[in-house]
């Protein structure tokens, strides 16, 4: 999934650093879960996983990937669906349900009305986040999932698994440069393809994992784990406005939206980690209050909290080690034509609590 700060490609590296430092345990708290890639990885390593994020779209992913351990059977729903032509002995129930959802005709619902050129043709600048047909497909799928939940024919995990399939799929068809804070004027070829809902793969660790949709700072008094993993925002960019459409698809709450991009209100979802002084204050609170053997802070050498201040803050509570590795990143220059390769350091601050 395209998501700022997604750790998917460096999980093995992070894990090998922890192994080299003999940092192991049985429980893991992913304090800024985002896509849940980190949670899933540690779940697959046998850890009991806790996770939290301030965004509801992340909560949906956490419910499906982290808390849930079972492949859904859709035992109440499937008998009522038309035959999807799959051999049910060899086809996963999730594949059958997704195939049915892919057969639905588009509906002119909230996403069509607010984020497609057809639905916004009366605006001075019509919004081109999705082609009309795909906006309508997102609405049709989202509405049907909600109807099934209301009718009681899918259980809670099945509901969140289907929502996660949709959240994961939308990025492949969005006419954006990476985030939803702006749409592109010209159509990206990816956005012109007919949207096809994709299935997701689940991990079973046989343990009772627990997830939260919260400002994680509100949870610190109750945290008691071996490994507490923090992967906060590195800069001033808030996540909520950058993923506002995925948040709306997840909640499907008909919000009032405004501005050129059709932004929902996110005043209750601002992160204190997007400002250096409040980030350091909160880092101090977590390190002081939460119970853990190791706190692992993933950060970036260009992050807004200065390295010496992070070390000074963490050192009050135990022994600190800084590990870092280089990785190459592409950064557009101002006119967006040439791309310059830029090297940054991914940093892991490891605090062993006294
Ligand atoms: C760098 S991203 C995490 C990426 C994640 N590790 C991954 O691999 O996808 C930071 C996340 O922190 C969340 N966030 C920021 N401040 C938060 C807070 N105070 N409480 C909970 N979540 C917060 C954002 O919504 C975002 O999903």
């Amino acid at each position: 999934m395209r998501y700022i700060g997604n750790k998917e490609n460096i999980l093995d590296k992070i894990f090998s650093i922890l192994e080299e430092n003999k940092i192991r345990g049985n429980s893991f708290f992913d304090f800024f879960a985002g896509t849940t890639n980190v949670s899933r990885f540690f779940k697959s390593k046998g850890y009991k996983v806790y996770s939290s994020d301030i965004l509801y779209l992340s909560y949906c992913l956490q419910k499906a990937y982290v808390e849930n351990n079972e492949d859904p059977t859709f035992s109440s729903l499937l008998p009522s669906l038309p035959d999807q032509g799959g051999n049910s002995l060899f086809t996963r129930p999730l594949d059958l349900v997704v195939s049915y959802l892919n057969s639905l005709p588009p509906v002119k619902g909230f996403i069509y009305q607010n984020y497609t050129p057809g639905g916004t043709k009366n605006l001075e600048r019509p919004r081109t986040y999705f082609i009309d047909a795909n906006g309508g497909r997102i609405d049709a799928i989202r509405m049907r999932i909600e109807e099934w939940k209301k009718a009681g024919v899918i259980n809670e995990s099945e509901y969140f698994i289907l929502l996660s399939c949709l959240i994961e799929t939308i990025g492949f068809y969005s006419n954006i440069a990476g985030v939803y804070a702006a749409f592109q004027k010209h159509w990206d070829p990816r956005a012109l393809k007919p949207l096809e809902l994709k299935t997701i793969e689940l991990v079973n660790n046989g343990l009772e994992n627990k997830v939260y949709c919260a400002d994680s700072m509100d949870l610190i008094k109750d945290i008691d784990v071996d490994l507490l993993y923090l992967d906060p925002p590195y800069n001033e960019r808030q996540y909520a406005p950058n993923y506002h459409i995925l948040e709306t698809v997840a909640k499907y709450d008909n919000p009032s939206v405004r501005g050129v991009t059709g932004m929902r209100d996110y005043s209750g979802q601002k992160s204190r980690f997007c400002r250096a002084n409040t980030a350091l204050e909160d880092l101090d609170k977590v390190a002081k209050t939460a119970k853990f053997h190791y706190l692992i802070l993933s950060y970036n050498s260009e992050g807004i909290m200065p390295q010496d201040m992070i070390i000074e803050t963490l050192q009050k509570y135990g022994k600190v080690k800084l590990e870092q590795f280089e990785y190459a990143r592409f950064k557009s220059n101002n006119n967006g034509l040439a791309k310059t390769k830029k090297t940054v350091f991914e940093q892991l601050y490891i605090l062993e609590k006294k």
Side-chain angles (χ1 to χ4, degrees):
M1 178 168 168
R2 290 200 284 173
Y3 197 78
I4 306 167
N6 181 353
K7 294 290 169 292
E8 191 172 9
N9 296 331
I10 53 172
L11 281 167
D12 286 328
K13 182 72 190 162
I14 292 176
F15 191 66
S16 70
I17 289 177
L18 297 185
E19 285 285 290
E20 281 157 24
N21 285 282
K22 300 194 171 37
I23 292 169
R24 298 192 187 110
N26 298 314
S27 52
F28 182 91
F29 200 120
D30 190 2
F31 200 77
F32 298 95
T35 61
T36 74
N37 276 316
V38 180
S39 293
R40 274 183 259 169
F41 181 87
F42 281 86
K43 191 180 175 190
S44 74
K45 299 281 179 201
Y47 281 80
K48 178 179 169 91
V49 176
Y50 302 83
S51 64
S52 171
D53 200 283
I54 206 162
L55 294 188
Y56 186 74
L57 79 92
S58 169
Y59 179 68
C60 295
L61 300 170
Q62 293 171 56
K63 288 290 279 187
Y65 286 118
V66 183
E67 197 167 284
N68 168 67
N69 271 333
E70 307 297 331
D71 242 5
T73 60
F74 294 104
S75 53
S76 302
L77 175 69
L78 275 178
S80 67
L81 292 189
D83 186 4
Q84 291 309 301
N87 182 337
S88 51
L89 263 185
F90 299 106
T91 314
R92 284 197 308 169
L94 179 59
D95 293 328
L96 295 172
V97 174
V98 162
S99 159
Y100 169 77
L101 288 170
N102 275 325
S103 72
L104 295 175
V107 174
K108 292 183 176 174
F110 191 87
I111 299 299
Y112 171 86
Q113 283 163 21
N114 289 285
Y115 302 111
T116 68
T120 58
K121 58 178 176 293
N122 295 328
L123 294 180
E124 194 181 318
R125 222 182 127 197
R127 297 186 191 122
T128 48
Y129 278 106
F130 305 106
I131 56 170
D132 292 354
N134 284 345
R137 289 173 82 83
I138 294 170
D139 284 316
I141 293 168
R142 183 63 186 85
M143 283 173 176
R144 189 56 57 94
I145 297 171
E146 203 61 33
E147 282 163 23
W148 286 340
K149 183 188 165 214
K150 283 207 181 101
V153 292
I154 53 176
N155 63 30
E156 191 190 68
S157 320
E158 290 167 343
Y159 176 70
F160 284 112
I161 288 166
L162 291 177
L163 287 189
S164 297
C165 292
L166 185 56
I167 292 166
E168 293 270 20
T169 298
I170 289 174
F172 292 101
Y173 302 94
S174 302
N175 191 35
I176 56 172
V179 294
Y180 293 84
F183 52 84
Q184 306 200 99
K185 209 155 69 186
H186 301 291
W187 290 103
D188 186 312
R190 68 164 61 219
L192 297 172
K193 292 180 291 179
L195 182 139
E196 230 184 273
L197 190 63
K198 298 175 196 319
T199 57
I200 59 172
E201 298 301 322
L202 302 164
V203 179
N204 183 350
N205 64 351
L207 298 169
E208 225 175 277
N209 310 290
K210 180 87 188 114
V211 306
Y212 302 88
C213 186
D215 184 318
S216 302
M217 293 305 295
D218 295 340
L219 306 172
I220 55 178
K221 283 202 204 77
D222 301 319
I223 292 177
D224 188 352
V225 285
D226 297 327
L227 271 55
L228 173 58
Y229 176 72
L230 310 187
D231 184 18
Y234 303 147
N235 56 31
E236 290 86 1
R237 283 214 286 181
Q238 293 286 345
Y239 276 72
N242 280 305
Y243 297 97
H244 67 107
I245 297 183
L246 295 184
E247 190 71 354
T248 295
V249 170
K251 291 185 167 160
Y252 216 57
D253 53 353
N254 294 307
S256 48
V257 298
R258 56 187 199 83
V260 174
T261 62
M263 185 76 74
R264 59 182 294 132
D265 175 53
Y266 62 94
S267 47
Q269 291 177 304
K270 287 194 179 154
S271 176
R272 283 166 50 88
F273 280 83
C274 293
R275 282 186 42 214
N277 56 346
T278 48
L280 282 163
E281 273 171 33
D282 280 6
L283 180 64
D284 187 286
K285 272 191 218 156
V286 183
K288 181 177 177 180
T289 312
K291 293 199 191 82
F292 53 84
H293 292 152
Y294 296 101
L295 179 152
I296 301 131
L297 169 70
S298 264
Y299 216 55
N300 179 293
S301 50
E302 294 181 342
I304 53 177
M305 290 191 282
Q307 182 173 313
D308 55 341
M309 301 287 277
I310 296 176
I311 293 175
E312 193 182 303
T313 302
L314 295 178
Q315 260 171 355
K316 290 196 255 170
Y317 306 104
K319 204 167 75 191
V320 178
K321 182 163 186 192
L322 171 59
E323 294 271 10
Q324 49 187 345
F325 55 95
E326 245 181 335
Y327 78 102
R329 201 179 55 175
F330 284 97
K331 204 174 176 184
S332 308
N333 71 359
N334 285 343
N335 66 20
L337 292 174
K339 304 251 183 212
T340 49
K341 202 173 183 190
K342 195 159 194 296
T343 299
V344 288
F345 288 94
E346 187 62 29
Q347 304 179 313
L348 285 185
Y349 294 83
I350 303 169
L351 162 65
E352 183 175 359
K353 207 164 188 178
K354 273 189 234 167

